Structure formats: C-alpha cells, structure tokens
Amino acid sequence: MTAVQPTPKHQKSKALKPGSRPPAKELCSECGLCDTYYIHYVKEACAFLNQQIATLEESAHGLSRNLDNPDEVYFGVHQQMMAARKQEPIPGAQWTGIVSTIACEMLDRGLVEGVVCVQNTPEDRFGPMPILARTKEEILAAKVNKPTLSPNLSVLEQVEQSGMKRLLVIGVGCQIQALRAVQKELGLEKLYILGTPCVDNVSREGLQKFLETTSKSPETVVHYEFMQDFRIHFKHEDGSIEKVPFFGLNTKELKDIFAPSCLSCFDYVNSLADLVVGYMGAPYGWQWIVVRNQTGQEMLDLVTEQLETQPVMSRGDRRAAVQQSIPAYDKAVTLPMWAAKLMGVAIERIGPKGLEYARFSIDSHFTRNYLYVKRNYPEKLEAHVPEFAKQIVSQYQLPES
Ligand code: FAD
Ligand code: SF4
C-alpha cells in the first residue's frame, strides 16, 4: 500500500489577484512568485522583503563570498571566469546566443525536462511572456532580452503540476533569489540555474519612454545593449545600428523610468545562479562567463566545443570616473550631443576595460542605489544592503543627504 502524500501547505495559498498590491509594494520587481501559490513563502523569499544573499549563497554554492577576496566581493562566489563567444552565433540572439545554446543542449541531452525562459507576447516584441519550454524551438523563440520586468517565476505552478523532476531556469537576480528561497518546495530532483546580470530594468511603459527619448526610430528597435564602448547600440529592423553615447542621455527625462526595485537592487551579478552569462567583464564583442559551482561547470562543459574563449582581462582605473558620476547623476547633468560624443571617444580610448569596466558599472550603480535606498527607505538600509555592497560603496564619498 502506498502512503498518501499530504498536500504541501503552499498549494492551499492563492496567487495574488491581477491588479492587487504586491507584498513588496512599489519595490516589487514583478518576479512572478506572487502569481503562484508559492506566494505562501513571500515574506521569506522576496528579494525586496528579505535580502539574504549570503545565506542563499551558502546553500547554493556551499559557501558565501569571501569578503577578503576583491574579485568575490565584486563578482560573487566563482570557480572561474572567462570571455567567450559562439563560433557560430545564433542570429537574433542578444549577443552570440550562449544562453539559448546551453538551454537547448541541456534539453537535447535529457539533463532537464523543461526550461523556464521568456518569449515575447504575439503583439509586442518587448512584451514579456514567460513559458515552460519543452522543445528547442520554444527555447530559441525566447532568445534576445525582453528589457522589461518579467514575471519569469509565474510558471512555477505549472512545473509542480507537470510532475517534472529536472528543470533549468533562466533568469535575472531578483527572480533567482526568490527561486533559491523556495527551491526545496518545488518537488524537483535537480534544479539548474542559468543567470544573466541585470541592471536598470524598467516597466514596459518605462521602456517606451526610454526608446522614445533616446532612439531616432523607437518603433523599429529590435534589440539594444549598453555596450562596453560607453554607447548604447540600438539595432533596427533593417539591420542598421544606431549608437548613442551614455553621456548624451537625457538624464532629467530618464531619471524616473527605472523601476524602484532596480534602483534598490544590489544583485547585479546574479550571485545565486550556477552559471552566469553576461558581457560586461569581457572585451568588446565577447560574452563574460562566471562559473559559480560544479553544476555551472557541467552546464558550460556541454557547449565548450562550440565556443571560442580567452582569459578575462582588466585594464584602467575606474575610480575617478565613478566618483565624478555621483554628483553628476544627482544633478541630472546632460551634455550636448557633440560633447557627449567627444567624451565617449576619449573614455573609450583611456577608460576601464574588461573586469575594470564591470567594476565601473557595478560601482556606479551601487553608489546610486545606496543613495536611493538611504533617501527613500532609510529604515531598510542596514538589512537590505548586503555586506559586499557596503564594502564597494565605502570606497566613495557620498553626499550626506
Ligand atoms: P540569448 O541566447 O539571446 O538568450 C537570452 C535569454 O534571456 C533568454 O533565454 C530569455 O529567456 C532570457 N531573458 C530575456 N529577457 C529576460 C528578462 N527580462 N528577465 C529574465 N530573463 C530574460 N549583462 C551584463 O553583462 N551587464 C548588464 O548590465 C546586463 N543587463 C541586462 C539587463 C536585462 C534586463 C537582461 C535580461 C540581461 C542583461 N544582461 C546584462 C545580460 C546580457 O544582455 C545577455 O542577456 C546575456 O549576455 C546573454 O546573451 P545571449 O546572447 O547568450 O542570450
Ligand atoms: Fe512577490 Fe516577486 Fe514582487 Fe517580491 S518581487 S512582491 S516575491 S512578485
């Protein structure tokens, strides 16, 4: 006689009704957890209600980051980092398609039965539509960034109901923090997590404002990226690339488009994924890979023969540029376009490269976000800002208020 399993307690909880105020209120990043009965665990799991990166690092990787090791302070627990690109890039992927390729291989070789990823809605190329993919075609249809808040975890109920035991989840830091916190409740034998870095995300309306304020042809943009050459590269439907220097952005107009969740996030590098694929620690044109643990190494091993790789490098000194950016951001300084272009060219020549560029981006965002939390949620500051971020921010002089 088989014993009847009791119903897990979370299954009795009810997902948040559409339009209701989420538990993290305006700080909610719409990660999707509260669209499922796993809302049961929200107080503990939500990245904005209970920052617990160090504890989750320990359960995910066996140890939390060593605060005496500068590379770990910046990039999190890792076994190795490298720069890589696909020998044959996937057309239409965000970069060369390493993320989609790993996901396809994992499904193909039977390591997983399904992949959580995000396609776009039929009516909007940037409208996020999370799915539980079971075929390579579905994974490939999720390639390219949907540069908006995306409720990737909203498909978690489907995972449990499908009886799936081996799963890959692709996601950004806030999604992965909540996922790690509920991981043991999902009834899985094995969970693989493939993360990307993430910063300055926006709602769909915020994205529209950004495109309309910054691009000459917002309606034809199919893809964009804040590149290591200090320019935003917009790719248009006809294949043309429009480049806009960071320093020419209309900061005054754009200051309030970023989601409050992203202005108070300190998990830029996706600390809890097994493997992270981004670009900011790699030379221009290459992707940046951070292997956090043995599971991440196994995932990367599946595709190494399809990759060209090189060691990570680091050049320049970011610190003066970061210090100057702090009051400039506060005052919403916008340079005229000719000056912005000149500055872009100069900084590209002498500015930080490789890992130093990644540190530049982390420092600029962490100082800005620290000030945002201090000014808007002073009561949360101590517990919400992780120790590694406090260490990074303490290198700079911040305004008193
Ligand atoms: P592809 O093969 O094109 O696959 C992209 C994958 O991303 C797909 O599987 C899709 O499911 C997933 N995805 C798309 N949109 C979202 C979303 N909104 N939320 C969760 N998952 C999503 N890298 C950096 O180094 N620095 C950054 O500042 C940075 N910012 C980013 C901001 C956002 C919002 C996102 C989604 C990614 C960001 N990245 C950043 C990662 C980088 O842009 C690429 O996504 C990464 O290098 C993978 O490229 P690829 O060609 O291998 O991906
Ligand atoms: Fe819920 Fe995620 Fe929003 Fe937190 S961020 S309130 S877990 S949907």
Side-chain angles (χ1 to χ4, degrees), residues 358-378:
R359 292 186 199 99
F360 164 80
S361 195
I362 291 170
D363 287 357
S364 322
H365 287 98
F366 280 17
T367 47
R368 181 199 65 184
N369 288 9
Y370 185 88
L371 283 171
Y372 179 83
V373 177
K374 187 174 167 203
R375 288 167 180 165
N376 296 285
Y377 305 95

Side-chain angles (χ1 to χ4, degrees), residues 94-95 97-100 118 144-146 197 225 268 279-280:
Q94 184 69 16
W95 281 77
I98 295 178
V99 167
S100 300
V118 51
V144 80
N145 290 359
K146 274 39 93 182
E225 192 73 90
Y268 194 169
Y279 66 90
M280 65 182 177

